[in-house]
Amino acid sequence: MFFLYDISISLMAFGMKIASLFNEKVKKGVAGRRDSLKNVQQALAKDDRVIWMHAASLGEYEQGLPVLERLKIQYPDYKILVSFFSPSGYENVVKKKHIADAICYLPFDKKNTIQQFVNSFQTALFFTVKYDFWYRLLEVLNQKNIPVYVVSALFYEKQKFFTSGGRFFVEQLRKNVNIFFHQTEHSLKLAESIGLTNSMYTGDTRYDRVKQNVKNFTEVPLIQNFIQNKPALVIGSSWEAEENLVEKFINENSETKIILAPHDLKRVPQIKQRFGDKAILYSKLENSQSSVINRQLLIIDNIGMLSRLYHYANVAVVGGGFHTSGLHNILEAAAYAVPVIFGNQYKKNPEADALIEAGAAKSFSDENAAVDFLLQLFRDEDKRKSMGSLAGEFIAGQPDAATIILNNIHAK
């Protein structure tokens, strides 16, 4: 079966190289992999003891970070390596402050390539986040007796493990992973149903992360100046659907201040043109009332501020759920005790169902229905505050997943 797996990896690598001729994002990933071994060898000595976290993309990186940070504190003499599959994860993290000694793309999962990479340093512990499994890598780590964990593991019914051809992949996970730390009890039951009994429920490490964001919050004076003590709507990681929502909302409500953080900063000029004089860019804000007095919409044209913006929201809309690209992080908003609104396409986001069930969030199939509900919330302060309180209580009640995970790692 490994023969077929190796062929699929070779085909994937070839396909990505062809796609890189036409797609800038794929091109970055292909080019970055060529330098992975060199970058790691420059940053890490062959006898360095290394704690290695792998994340598919930025969301998984944020999910694994509470565990990685705690490991760094408890083992300060160990080096930290973070590997990514996606350019969106690598590009975002490498440009900002981080705790890693080395950051790279994970090489293509070919046996010789992976062996050379793993042999270039001494891995003391490896963990991957959620469900990004590479079977040659897991095999090589197991052969070197390196502990392997899966943090915030998430199994769902449509994965290949639950198909007639999934036995090979299940067997590789059973042999090569020490413990699966599941983010939901449903995921735990699914894993156990296929024989992955080396599993336990710990909760989702993203809750640890957003609680930490609230605890470490620092003011953004220009935001407070823009709001001018008026109610505020924050639109996080917007796509075009959420911007359509903003346009409809503005036509019905001219009193609420709106802060919009686009998913893609390249679209900022287009968004500014769409809203004209009603909007101002964050980079153009001044510490004076005159610059914002007639502006209802603030467009965030930088990276790294979003998690703090939700502190100023009375209601939050989080992007990605009105199409199949994927819902962005709704927990960052809920952690500030804010009602959260989003589209209804979020099949890989169990936290969305949990927040809805708690009465702290609502999802909608189209922007018009979402706008109607938003208008209702801004007219009904009691309902708005009640939903917000339920959101805050829901986040506060989640287990300290990182502590549970670390205790079990230490026990091993």
Side-chain angles (χ1 to χ4, degrees):
M1 190 66 181
F2 253 127
F3 174 72
L4 294 177
Y5 176 75
D6 291 340
I7 290 175
S8 71
I9 293 296
S10 295
L11 290 173
M12 180 192 72
F14 178 74
M16 287 179 64
K17 288 173 183 176
I18 296 299
S20 70
L21 300 175
F22 312 98
N23 185 297
E24 188 62 29
K25 181 178 178 181
V26 178
K27 182 179 179 180
K28 288 179 179 178
V30 171
R33 281 176 174 82
R34 294 194 198 105
D35 295 329
S36 291
L37 181 61
K38 181 183 71 175
N39 291 343
V40 165
Q41 288 175 335
Q42 288 176 346
L44 305 173
K46 195 172 180 63
D47 59 349
D48 278 337
R49 294 176 298 175
V50 176
I51 295 170
W52 177 3
M53 179 178 85
H54 174 68
S57 193
L58 183 61
E60 288 78 12
Y61 169 80
E62 294 286 350
Q63 205 162 9
L65 201 52
V67 174
L68 190 65
E69 288 174 334
R70 298 272 286 274
L71 286 168
K72 176 65 174 176
I73 292 170
Q74 294 180 22
Y75 301 99
D77 295 332
Y78 286 57
K79 296 293 182 70
I80 300 292
L81 167 64
V82 177
S83 61
F84 288 97
F85 181 81
S86 163
S88 60
Y90 176 87
E91 293 288 332
N92 275 283
V93 174
V94 79
K95 292 176 182 176
K96 60 184 182 183
K97 187 177 179 181
H98 54 76
I99 65 169
D101 297 285
I103 296 179
C104 70
Y105 287 96
L106 184 70
F108 289 120
D109 198 39
K110 299 177 180 180
K111 187 171 183 178
N112 291 338
T113 304
I114 289 295
Q115 283 181 330
Q116 185 182 17
F117 186 82
V118 173
N119 289 338
S120 65
F121 51 89
Q122 301 297 319
T123 305
L125 178 154
F126 171 89
F127 68 94
T128 187
V129 182
K130 205 169 182 178
Y131 42 57
D132 202 42
F133 306 126
W134 298 98
Y135 300 98
R136 284 298 188 188
L137 172 61
L138 295 179
E139 179 192 45
V140 170
L141 293 171
N142 180 51
Q143 288 171 350
K144 294 175 72 68
N145 295 316
I146 295 166
V148 172
Y149 303 97
V150 182
V151 167
S152 288
L154 184 63
F155 285 76
Y156 55 93
E157 288 84 348
K158 292 187 178 181
Q159 285 171 308
K160 59 193 172 189
F161 313 116
F162 305 100
T163 66
S164 57
R167 184 176 300 174
F168 164 79
F169 302 104
V170 173
E171 182 61 17
Q172 295 307 308
L173 295 181
R174 188 191 64 78
K175 289 193 307 183
N176 298 324
V177 175
N178 292 69
I179 305 178
F180 295 87
F181 298 112
H182 292 270
Q183 60 177 283
T184 69
E185 292 181 341
H186 181 63
S187 175
L188 171 64
K189 290 176 182 177
L190 285 175
E192 290 179 335
S193 74
I194 54 174
L196 298 178
T197 55
N198 49 337
S199 294
M200 64 181 298
Y201 168 66
T202 59
D204 191 339
T205 50
R206 285 179 298 173
Y207 292 108
D208 302 47
R209 187 68 180 163
V210 297
K211 290 177 189 177
Q212 190 178 55
N213 288 344
V214 173
K215 182 179 179 181
N216 297 333
F217 170 77
T218 55
E219 291 282 354
V220 188
L222 288 177
I223 297 295
Q224 191 65 61
N225 184 59
F226 170 77
I227 292 172
Q228 298 282 303
N229 297 315
K230 292 185 176 182
L233 170 64
V234 173
I235 316 290
S237 302
S238 71
W239 293 68
E240 188 172 358
E242 288 77 33
E243 290 143 23
N244 293 338
L245 178 153
V246 169
E247 186 170 28
K248 293 167 185 172
F249 182 86
I250 283 177
N251 290 335
E252 300 290 333
N253 181 327
S254 60
E255 295 301 313
T256 298
K257 291 285 192 171
I258 303 170
I259 302 169
L260 186 145
H263 164 68
D264 184 357
L265 291 185
K266 293 178 182 176
R267 298 183 59 253
V268 165
Q270 176 185 339
I271 299 168
K272 176 64 175 74
Q273 183 177 21
R274 177 176 186 175
F275 291 97
D277 292 338
K278 293 180 180 178
I280 186 171
L281 302 181
Y282 181 82
S283 60
K284 302 296 183 184
L285 275 185
E286 300 172 1
N287 200 12
S288 65
Q289 291 189 16
S290 60
S291 67
V292 299
I293 197 72
N294 296 318
R295 314 295 183 116
Q296 187 177 358
L297 174 64
L298 174 63
I299 301 169
I300 305 299
D301 52 352
N302 62 55
I303 293 174
M305 187 183 290
L306 180 57
S307 63
R308 289 191 291 163
L309 294 179
Y310 291 124
H311 169 84
Y312 299 96
N314 296 100
V315 182
V317 174
V318 177
F322 287 110
H323 50 68
T324 57
S325 292
L327 180 64
H328 292 277
N329 191 335
I330 60 176
L331 299 179
E332 288 181 329
Y336 285 103
V338 173
V340 191
I341 310 302
F342 43 86
N344 67 347
Q345 298 191 47
Y346 57 82
K347 62 182 179 179
K348 295 181 182 179
N349 297 78
E351 71 278 6
D353 282 324
L355 276 169
I356 291 170
E357 186 177 347
K362 290 274 285 184
S363 72
F364 298 90
S365 59
D366 65 81
E367 306 110 73
N368 290 327
V371 170
D372 290 341
F373 187 73
L374 284 171
L375 292 169
Q376 178 186 340
L377 282 184
F378 279 99
R379 287 192 297 265
D380 189 341
E381 185 177 0
D382 289 341
K383 182 177 179 63
R384 196 171 70 226
K385 287 184 175 180
S386 175
M387 281 188 72
S389 295
L390 291 170
E393 291 168 8
F394 174 81
I395 297 292
Q398 298 305 307
D400 186 353
T403 296
I404 299 170
I405 290 168
L406 265 293
N407 287 343
N408 280 276
I409 288 176
H410 293 327
K412 291 288 183 180

